[in-house]
């Protein structure tokens, strides 16, 4: 047996670990947004988060001495920066103030499905049956989590529309970012995307100053945490992983987030999950496992040099 089956396994595992770090950080963001959102308006929270993230990423970029990305990367950086770093963060913060957490989770979780569809349309990515099946299982789990977390009908048309817009901008931003990563590094694409988002949110500067003057210290610290970890670090590790796999598979990975939010709410906020919540979280994890699994390689028929009858060699599928 040759080592060819193991050649790309190390980088693939590193990319999977990077994606795992991203989804853990994004799950923790829901807890922080809940705290900071009580003291900061949606636009102010988004701007503060992006400014903190841009500062950290700028330091990392300077330390690594990475300059401007190539011109070919700028279109994807600009689009993802406006849609994902800018508009997405504002409308998601706003939407979560209008609807209960369960409704927000159900609506926003159409994002991975949109990523797969947009990736197939604009990036020419395939939609393997396992990916489609896994997303279906995970989406059913997200719906179960959403139903179990829903309050007393706290949804309204504006809130649902905002969460839907958040899902669309998130999906479009991921698909726009993918081509940029073929030209620029993960750090370059993330830093300049975050910078574009921060510039787009500058109209909220007055609100940020006013809110920061009255906000309690824990809320401000949560905003800074959102900028450093779920934004600066998690978006960079996401870009690193996205550059090494398809947008559809990466989008399906984010279905781990609802399960992690349930666990973190249990541990940090002492919110004991209901049986339906646990079932939904389990379905989310199972769906991600299915979507990222690979089918066993078919047996290959090889002709021996001696001219004897063909011998069946089973490919290593470990």
């Amino acid at each position: 047996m040759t080592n060819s089956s193991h050649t790309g396994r190390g980088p693939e595992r590193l990319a999977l670990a990077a994606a795992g770090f991203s989804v853990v950080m994004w799950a923790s963001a829901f807890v922080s947004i809940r705290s900071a959102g009580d003291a900061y308006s949606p636009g102010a929270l988004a701007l503060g988060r992006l400014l903190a993230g841009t500062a950290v990423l700028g330091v990392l970029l300077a330390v690594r001495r990475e300059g401007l990305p190539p011109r070919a990367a700028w279109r994807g950086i600009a689009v993802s920066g406006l849609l994902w770093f800018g508009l997405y963060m504002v409308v998601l913060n706003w939407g979560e103030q209008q609807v209960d957490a369960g409704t927000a989770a159900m609506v926003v979780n159409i994002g991975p499905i949109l990523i797969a569809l947009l990736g197939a349309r604009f990036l020419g990515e395939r939609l393997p049956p396992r990916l489609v099946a896994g997303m279906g299982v995970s989406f059913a789990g997200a719906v179960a989590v959403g139903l179990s977390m829903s309050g007393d009908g706290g949804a309204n048309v504006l809130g649902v529309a905002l969460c839907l817009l958040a899902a669309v901008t998130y999906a479009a931003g991921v698909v726009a970012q993918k081509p940029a990563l073929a030209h620029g590094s993960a750090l370059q694409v993330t830093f300049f995307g975050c910078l574009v988002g921060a510039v787009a949110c500058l109209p909220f500067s007055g609100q940020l100053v006013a809110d920061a003057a009255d906000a309690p210290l824990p809320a401000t610290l949560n905003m800074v945490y959102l900028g450093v970890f779920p934004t600066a670090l998690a978006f960079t590790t996401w870009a690193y992983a996205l550059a090494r796999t398809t947008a559809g598979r990466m989008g399906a990975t984010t279905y781990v987030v609802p399960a992690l939010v349930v666990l973190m709410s249990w541990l940090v906020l002492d919110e004991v999950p209901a049986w339906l919540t646990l079932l939904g979280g389990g379905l989310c994890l199972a769906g991600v496992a299915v979507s990222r699994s690979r089918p066993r390689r078919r047996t290959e028929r090889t002709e021996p040099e001696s001219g004897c009858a063909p011998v069946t060699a089973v490919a290593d599928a470990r």
Side-chain angles (χ1 to χ4, degrees):
M1 182 179 65
T2 66
N3 292 327
S4 59
S5 61
H6 298 275
T7 302
R9 197 164 294 179
E12 182 178 345
R13 289 175 177 172
L14 186 59
L16 183 59
F21 176 81
S22 296
V23 297
V24 170
M25 290 295 98
W26 290 343
S28 72
F30 281 88
V31 179
S32 293
I33 288 174
R34 182 181 304 180
S35 174
D38 292 334
Y40 286 91
S41 61
L45 179 58
L47 177 58
R49 175 179 178 176
L50 289 168
L51 289 176
T54 300
V56 172
L57 289 168
V59 172
L60 293 176
L61 198 74
V63 170
R64 291 181 58 85
R65 297 183 178 180
E66 295 189 25
L68 295 174
R71 290 180 57 185
W74 276 105
R75 180 178 179 181
I77 290 173
V79 174
S80 63
L82 289 172
L83 294 181
W84 194 10
F85 288 87
L87 185 58
Y88 167 77
M89 291 190 182
V90 175
V91 297
L92 180 62
N93 293 341
W94 189 6
E96 288 191 0
Q97 291 183 355
Q98 303 294 318
V99 301
D100 55 76
T103 302
M106 286 187 290
V107 177
V108 173
N109 270 298
I110 71 169
I113 298 175
L114 295 176
I115 290 174
L117 295 176
L118 291 174
R121 173 64 178 83
F122 294 102
L123 302 178
E125 296 181 353
R126 294 175 55 250
L127 290 175
R130 287 174 181 249
L131 175 61
V132 176
M135 287 194 299
V137 173
S138 290
F139 184 71
V143 171
V145 171
L147 291 174
S148 67
M149 294 173 62
S150 295
D152 300 325
N156 58 48
V157 175
L158 175 60
V160 171
L162 288 169
C163 291
L164 179 60
L165 179 59
V168 173
T169 54
Y170 153 54
V174 170
V175 173
Q177 188 187 65
K178 173 68 173 174
L181 291 166
H183 306 283
S185 70
L187 183 57
Q188 287 175 326
V189 172
T190 305
F191 168 71
F192 287 102
C194 192
L195 180 62
V196 169
V199 171
C201 290
L202 284 179
F204 301 108
S205 299
Q207 293 182 11
L208 177 60
V209 173
D211 291 347
D214 299 327
L217 180 60
T220 301
L221 292 177
N222 270 293
M223 181 177 66
V224 174
Y225 169 83
L226 286 168
V228 175
F229 292 95
T231 303
L233 300 184
F235 273 76
T236 302
T237 52
W238 168 274
Y240 173 86
L242 180 60
R244 290 157 177 81
T245 188
T246 65
R249 293 189 74 196
M250 281 298 292
T253 304
T254 62
Y255 273 122
V256 175
V257 171
L260 293 176
V261 171
V262 170
L263 178 61
M264 290 180 180
S265 297
W266 190 357
L267 297 177
V268 178
L269 302 177
D270 199 26
E271 296 179 353
V272 180
W275 69 268
L276 184 59
T277 308
L278 294 175
L279 175 62
L283 286 174
C284 289
L285 295 176
V288 171
V290 171
S291 67
R292 296 198 65 90
S293 65
R294 297 181 183 274
R296 288 182 175 273
R297 297 177 183 176
R298 294 180 178 179
T299 59
E300 299 176 356
R301 301 190 64 85
T302 59
E303 187 75 18
E305 293 181 359
S306 61
C308 300
V311 177
T312 300
V314 181
D316 180 16
R318 288 181 297 171

